[in-house]
């Protein structure tokens, strides 16, 4: 068997980040930032940009005036585009599965909140309504948007993130 675990070498030092990791050793200290109040946005669309031989996908959120492009992966781009176009695959893809699972468990997606930006990375929460109250789940913005669109959930971005200069 080619991927036999016994044939694999163990990493020498698991306390050090791999060479491709963004930071060497210690993570830099982070200042607390207040991004203000949530602003409801809509998904303008999914786009791609080519630079040389690289293709990058983006989802663009807008409040009608400001635009916020967020880099996303190709699978998430396809999933968001399918939701925007009302397409349903023959078999559920991951975001359809998540929607179905939440429904079967009696949870609803109350809202999507993009609530942090640190080191050029956006962070989001999926806010679920359950019998025991609301639950916030950390999630990548692209996955939150893909699930939120399927559940007709509103999407919010904190004011300061919309003003962050990424548009």
């Amino acid at each position: 068997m080619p991927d036999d675990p016994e044939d694999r070498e163990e990493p020498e030092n698991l306390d050090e980040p791999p060479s491709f990791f963004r930071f060497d050793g210690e993570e830099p200290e982070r200042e607390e930032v207040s991004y203000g109040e949530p602003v409801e946005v809509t998904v303008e669309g999914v786009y791609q940009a080519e630079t040389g031989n690289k293709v990058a996908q983006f989802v663009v959120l807008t409040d009608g005036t400001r635009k916020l492009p967020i880099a996303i992966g190709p699978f998430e781009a396809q999933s968001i585009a399918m939701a925007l176009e009302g397409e349903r695959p023959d078999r559920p893809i991951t975001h359809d599965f998540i929607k179905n699972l939440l429904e079967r468990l009696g949870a609803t997606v109350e809202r999507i909140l993009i609530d942090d930006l640190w080191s050029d990375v956006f962070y989001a929460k999926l806010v679920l309504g359950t019998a025991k109250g609301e639950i916030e789940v950390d999630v990548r913005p692209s996955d939150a948007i893909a699930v939120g669109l399927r559940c007709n959930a509103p999407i919010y971005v904190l004011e300061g993130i919309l003003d962050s200069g990424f548009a």
Side-chain angles (χ1 to χ4, degrees):
M1 189 167 168
D3 282 16
D4 191 352
E6 292 178 16
D7 294 341
R8 292 189 199 152
E9 289 184 28
E10 286 294 320
E12 289 181 24
N13 186 356
L14 294 176
D15 294 327
E16 290 182 24
S19 59
F20 59 83
F21 196 69
R22 181 181 290 260
F23 305 108
D24 295 333
E26 301 262 333
E27 194 171 306
E29 278 200 39
R30 180 169 185 210
E31 286 183 32
E32 261 318 297
V33 177
S34 173
Y35 287 111
E37 296 299 313
V39 175
E40 189 166 2
V41 296
T42 57
V43 178
E44 181 176 283
V46 176
Y47 304 95
Q48 67 180 25
E50 294 183 40
T51 6
N53 60 353
K54 288 186 88 174
V55 177
Q57 287 83 17
F58 298 88
V59 60
V60 176
L61 305 177
T62 183
D63 68 349
T65 305
R66 297 166 288 188
K67 295 182 182 198
L68 181 68
I70 299 175
I72 60 176
F75 299 113
E76 292 79 9
Q78 180 183 17
S79 181
I80 291 169
M82 288 175 67
L84 289 172
E85 295 166 13
E87 289 181 26
R88 293 190 55 135
D90 294 337
R91 299 290 300 141
I93 61 172
T94 304
H95 300 110
D96 297 311
F97 162 72
I98 292 169
K99 175 188 182 270
N100 294 342
L101 181 65
L102 291 171
E103 287 175 352
R104 296 299 280 289
L105 292 172
T108 56
V109 178
E110 297 297 318
R111 64 191 167 280
I112 306 307
L113 177 62
I114 298 173
D115 65 346
D116 204 357
L117 172 63
W118 187 58
S119 194
D120 299 336
V121 176
F122 293 95
Y123 293 83
K125 291 191 176 53
L126 196 64
V127 181
L128 305 177
T130 71
K132 293 183 178 185
E134 284 190 351
I135 298 172
E136 290 184 351
V137 180
D138 288 324
V139 62
R140 296 182 306 178
S142 56
D143 290 325
I145 293 165
V147 171
L149 288 172
R150 286 166 170 74
C151 297
N152 297 313
I155 302 169
Y156 295 90
V157 177
L158 294 185
E159 182 85 33
I161 295 173
L162 272 174
D163 291 333
S164 66
F166 273 83

